[in-house]
Amino acid sequence: MVNILIVEDEIDTQSYIKHIVESSLNNAVVYTAFNHQEALEVSDKNHLDLVLLDMELDGTDILGLDVYKSIESRHKNIDTIVITGHSDYLRQATGIEPFYYMMKPINEVFLKRKLKEWVYVKENVDNETLIIKQSTGIKVIPLKNIYYIEKIGRKVHVVTKSKVYEYSSSIRAIMKDLDDRFYQSHQSFIVNTNKVNTVDKDYERARLISFFDFEKTVPLSRYKYEGFIDMFK
């Protein structure tokens, strides 16, 4: 059983989203709120797993972002799908790292797909996998297969021996999903220390990390060197 809160101030849209959720998930208990106060009342009385969140509420300056931050402080491991009719609000939503951003008008088929993906992630996530969201769907990557992770522009590359997985995220966000075998060796790199073979000498103010049975190398910042060596030991 999963508990889902819909925060939406337009009654027709709220009813439509509720219909989509209930027709998609047989095991969902659905709560609704029109505004900030109602959302917090539901949050205080019930355990919540997912919030479907309109970014603009009440016709005031209160944003769904503020509502979510209040709810998040009350519930551990809660997720959100951000729904908005204004693309400008998506930039403000970056502070909450939602499961997905969705623009209005809502596409029923697409929202159903994202809800099922969310359930899949919730049921399959464990300490031994990294689950990423790509445009083609959800990918589950065993942590033991990852050599390193690199941030390139707005994308993150998860590098295994046979494949590179690209998706939108940040180094900070990914570190939350990894265990203690992983170390941020540089501002743009995370390495799996179980795969590390050697650390080479200085190279342009950084050292180079090489891996077992893998040709590529990654930099180790001189500011990260001592912490890495202590961990690597």
Side-chain angles (χ1 to χ4, degrees):
M1 189 69 67
V2 293
N3 293 337
I4 298 175
L5 171 62
I6 301 167
V7 185
E8 168 60 60
D9 62 351
E10 295 180 358
I11 187 169
D12 290 340
T13 304
Q14 185 189 98
S15 297
Y16 182 50
I17 296 172
K18 188 171 186 287
H19 159 73
I20 294 172
V21 174
E22 291 178 337
S23 63
S24 302
L25 308 178
N26 295 326
N27 65 337
V29 176
V30 182
Y31 303 94
T32 58
F34 287 102
N35 54 48
H36 189 182
Q37 186 60 41
E38 288 182 8
L40 294 184
E41 288 175 1
V42 172
S43 173
D44 287 340
K45 295 177 181 178
N46 304 279
H47 168 77
L48 297 176
D49 300 294
L50 175 69
V51 180
L52 295 167
L53 181 70
D54 182 15
M55 281 293 288
E56 187 177 22
L57 298 171
D58 304 330
T60 69
D61 292 333
I62 297 176
L63 295 177
L65 174 63
D66 302 315
V67 177
Y68 181 76
K69 286 182 176 178
S70 297
I71 294 173
E72 186 182 35
S73 68
R74 293 162 164 80
H75 299 273
K76 292 183 178 180
N77 302 318
I78 192 170
D79 292 313
T80 184
I81 295 176
V82 169
I83 301 173
T84 181
H86 304 279
S87 59
D88 288 346
Y89 288 133
L90 296 183
R91 289 193 295 270
Q92 300 179 48
T94 55
I96 62 175
E97 297 175 2
F99 182 80
Y100 197 77
Y101 303 96
M102 182 171 293
M103 290 292 297
K104 294 179 179 178
I106 297 168
N107 182 297
E108 180 174 351
V109 173
F110 193 72
L111 179 54
K112 283 184 175 181
R113 174 185 170 186
K114 291 305 171 185
L115 287 167
K116 290 176 180 179
E117 285 182 357
W118 172 77
V119 170
Y120 176 82
V121 170
K122 185 174 179 64
E123 291 178 348
N124 288 278
V125 67
D126 59 41
N127 292 331
E128 294 299 321
T129 59
L130 175 67
I131 297 179
I132 65 175
K133 297 173 288 236
Q134 297 179 310
S135 58
T136 55
I138 296 293
K139 302 293 183 184
V140 179
I141 309 170
L143 294 182
K144 66 180 181 180
N145 292 349
I146 299 172
Y147 279 77
Y148 67 90
I149 299 168
E150 180 180 6
K151 183 75 162 69
I152 302 176
R154 296 184 178 181
K155 298 289 186 178
V156 166
H157 291 190
V158 179
V159 180
T160 68
K161 190 168 186 178
S162 60
K163 190 171 182 179
V164 177
Y165 300 87
E166 179 183 282
Y167 73 115
S168 297
S169 188
S170 66
I171 291 292
R172 180 180 179 184
I174 293 173
M175 284 297 293
K176 295 178 181 179
D177 296 327
L178 301 173
D179 61 24
D180 58 7
R181 83 189 80 173
F182 288 88
Y183 186 81
Q184 185 177 352
S185 66
H186 185 275
Q187 63 180 358
S188 301
F189 288 88
I190 300 170
V191 297
N192 181 350
T193 59
N194 287 355
K195 300 287 190 181
V196 172
N197 183 14
T198 62
V199 178
D200 294 337
K201 295 181 179 180
D202 289 343
Y203 176 77
E204 294 183 357
R205 301 182 66 187
R207 298 172 188 259
L208 290 179
I209 296 171
S210 62
F211 303 95
F212 291 106
D213 195 27
F214 198 62
E215 293 182 357
K216 295 183 179 180
T217 60
V218 303
L220 172 61
S221 167
R222 58 177 178 155
Y223 303 108
K224 298 280 189 174
Y225 177 75
E226 289 186 6
F228 178 80
I229 294 301
D230 288 341
M231 179 181 182
F232 191 55
K233 289 178 181 178

